[in-house]
Amino acid sequence: MIGPRRITLRHPSLRARLTLTYGGLFLVAGLVLLGVTYALFDQQMSREGTKVLARTSLPSPGATGSTGNTGNTGGTGGTGRPVPAGTTPSGQEGPGAIDDLEGWMKGQRKDVREAATTSLITQGSIALLLVGGVAAGFGWLIAGQVLAPLHRVTETARRIAVAPAADRGLHERIALSGPDDEVKRLADTFDTMVERLDRSFDGQRRFVANASHELRTPLTLGRALVEVAMHRRSASADVLQLGETLLQINARHERLIAGLLLLARSENEITGRAPVDLADVVGHVAAQTAAEAEEAGVDVRAEPGEAVTSGDALLLERVVQNLVENGIRHNSGPGGWVRVRSRTGGGRAVLEVVNSGRAVPPYEIPALFEPFRRLGSDRVVTAKGAGLGLSIVQSIVRAHGGTVTADPGRDGGLRVTVRLPSP
């Protein structure tokens, strides 16, 4: 049963997040300002309008009064008292005129309120959105300028990471110029780290070159002296036996040194790549290891299938050879078997090596890929292996961009699966 497909959401970039932050803060501030403006305006419009205190007309010529005076704001009405607002000079009130005036003023206030509301809310919101869009655009440009040094750091780190070899490209530096801010200090720290790595890889390369000469030369001389002593006519049986033992120890040391040098070289990514069909490698390695398998009483079964990958043919041959030799040497003795098969699966070249033998605990399998790690009695000095076989396999596979896994066999032994990218 196929489970539900997991959807991975891609997070927005830092530049996009900064732009959204700028634009969001601007819109929030604009909305607050618009709301405060509308509240103040609404408060002002809600105040009671100016009342008409009095409205009089000039008295008629025949009107009498104690003083005979009239004014534009009130009158005595012939009684010597002010005339109330909305009354006529004869003293009669006019409430209809006042109601009409107040109704007209309320209508005017209502019209002004509606117009102001439309202007503030509708048109103000549209203007705020337009200005917010312009502000977001400027925020995008400003964020790009601010983050430009970080993009430079990222591009330099990416070029170093995808260099053809892990120890190449380390000579490149960011060398960021500008004010001594956080980004400048980050770039300088990165340059310092890369410089130290460059010196470390240079030291490793010099060590590999010197070790290749200094370690192999004494072993070669020692083997030559032992062989000369063994081929003398006067050599006794004890000398011959001692010579055989010394030659075995010398051969083991040579394998150990060769394995160390190969491990150091295989940790770097492959520079010269070419199409390689693992089917040809499987057949070639099965033929090469036939003599050792026959001597150990182990049956090697090769099932070469088309599995094309890209890489160094010699290093890929060493992968298959190490796995097959590991299956032969750590088998259950006469009657054991090793099956090596190549195929294509999931768009990748797959190599499987399965062997019989004693059961391997699952918790001990990860340690097998560490240098000089063996199981049980395989740790003795006279062991055929140097304890680097699976370590070299893992380094070469990683350098080719692949993966290697190991699992216990059903009836004992080990199953090793290598997956390499197709070209």
Side-chain angles (χ1 to χ4, degrees):
M1 180 178 179
I2 301 176
R5 186 176 180 180
R6 189 174 182 180
I7 300 176
T8 303
L9 298 179
R10 184 178 181 182
H11 295 284
S13 63
L14 178 59
R15 185 179 184 182
R17 295 200 299 269
L18 287 175
T19 303
L20 292 176
T21 302
Y22 297 155
L25 290 176
F26 180 85
L27 289 177
V28 170
L31 289 174
V32 172
L33 180 60
L34 187 62
V36 171
T37 304
Y38 177 77
L40 293 176
F41 178 81
D42 184 71
Q43 182 182 6
Q44 185 68 23
M45 291 297 298
S46 297
R47 292 181 179 179
E48 190 174 0
T50 304
K51 293 184 177 180
V52 179
L53 297 178
R55 184 180 61 187
T56 61
S57 60
L58 292 174
S60 60
T64 61
S66 60
T67 60
N69 295 330
T70 59
N72 57 356
T73 59
T76 61
T79 62
R81 293 177 298 178
V83 178
T87 61
T88 63
S90 61
Q92 296 180 354
E93 297 181 354
I98 295 177
D99 293 340
D100 293 341
L101 180 60
E102 291 180 352
W104 177 81
M105 292 180 66
K106 290 181 179 179
Q108 291 297 318
R109 285 199 300 269
K110 182 178 180 182
D111 293 340
V112 172
R113 182 191 296 273
E114 293 178 353
T117 302
T118 303
S119 179
L120 284 175
I121 303 301
T122 306
Q123 300 177 1
S125 299
I126 295 175
L128 179 61
L129 291 177
L130 293 177
V131 177
V134 175
F138 278 107
W140 175 266
L141 296 177
I142 294 174
Q145 294 294 327
V146 173
L147 297 178
L150 287 179
H151 290 311
R152 183 174 174 181
V153 175
T154 304
E155 290 299 328
T156 304
R158 181 180 293 112
R159 285 195 298 270
I160 294 176
V162 301
D167 58 343
R168 300 188 180 184
L170 294 178
H171 62 278
E172 188 174 359
R173 301 291 184 270
I174 300 175
L176 186 65
S177 59
D180 188 15
D181 55 7
E182 290 81 358
V183 179
K184 177 75 164 52
R185 289 192 290 271
L186 173 63
D188 293 341
T189 304
F190 182 83
D191 286 342
T192 302
M193 180 188 66
V194 173
E195 184 177 359
R196 295 185 63 180
L197 289 175
D198 193 14
R199 289 199 301 266
S200 177
F201 276 107
D202 285 338
Q204 183 187 27
R205 284 191 293 267
R206 288 192 297 270
F207 169 77
V208 170
N210 294 332
S212 177
H213 175 74
E214 297 295 336
L215 295 178
R216 286 180 174 177
T217 300
L219 291 177
T220 303
L221 293 176
R223 184 178 67 249
L225 292 175
V226 172
E227 289 177 350
V228 169
M230 292 177 60
H231 286 83
R232 288 180 180 178
R233 295 181 180 180
S234 59
S236 62
D238 294 339
V239 173
L240 294 177
Q241 182 65 32
L242 177 61
E244 290 291 342
T245 304
L246 291 177
L247 287 178
Q248 290 180 3
I249 296 176
N250 193 86
R252 182 181 180 275
H253 289 166
E254 289 180 350
R255 289 196 302 270
L256 176 61
I257 293 173
L260 287 173
L261 297 177
L262 179 60
L263 180 62
R265 185 167 67 93
S266 63
E267 288 179 348
N268 300 331
E269 191 173 349
I270 307 305
T271 54
R273 291 177 174 268
V276 179
D277 191 352
L278 294 181
D280 300 333
V281 180
V282 167
H284 177 68
V285 171
Q288 276 188 333
T289 56
E292 182 179 356
E294 183 179 358
E295 182 181 355
V298 177
D299 181 24
V300 177
R301 309 170 190 172
E303 301 177 8
E306 183 178 359
V308 181
T309 185
S310 177
D312 190 317
L314 294 178
L315 292 179
L316 292 176
E317 179 182 344
R318 176 55 68 97
V319 169
V320 181
Q321 184 175 356
N322 281 10
L323 292 178
V324 174
E325 290 179 350
N326 186 75
I328 294 174
R329 295 170 184 175
H330 301 281
N331 216 299
S332 55
W337 53 269
V338 175
R339 186 185 68 189
V340 52
R341 181 176 66 163
S342 61
R343 58 182 177 84
T344 301
R348 299 170 71 89
V350 181
L351 173 70
E352 291 181 349
V353 179
V354 188
N355 63 276
S356 60
R358 66 182 183 88
V360 180
Y363 57 85
E364 290 191 1
I365 290 180
L368 296 178
F369 290 94
E370 299 179 6
F372 307 110
R373 295 297 296 269
R374 307 181 186 89
L375 295 178
S377 59
D378 295 336
R379 295 186 175 93
V380 298
V381 177
T382 57
K384 294 183 179 180
L388 295 173
L390 293 181
S391 301
I392 293 174
V393 168
Q394 188 178 52
S395 297
I396 295 176
V397 171
R398 286 179 177 176
H400 284 78
T403 59
V404 54
T405 57
D407 303 293
R410 294 182 179 178
D411 301 325
L414 199 65
R415 176 191 298 271
V416 181
T417 305
V418 176
R419 291 179 174 84
L420 296 169
S422 299

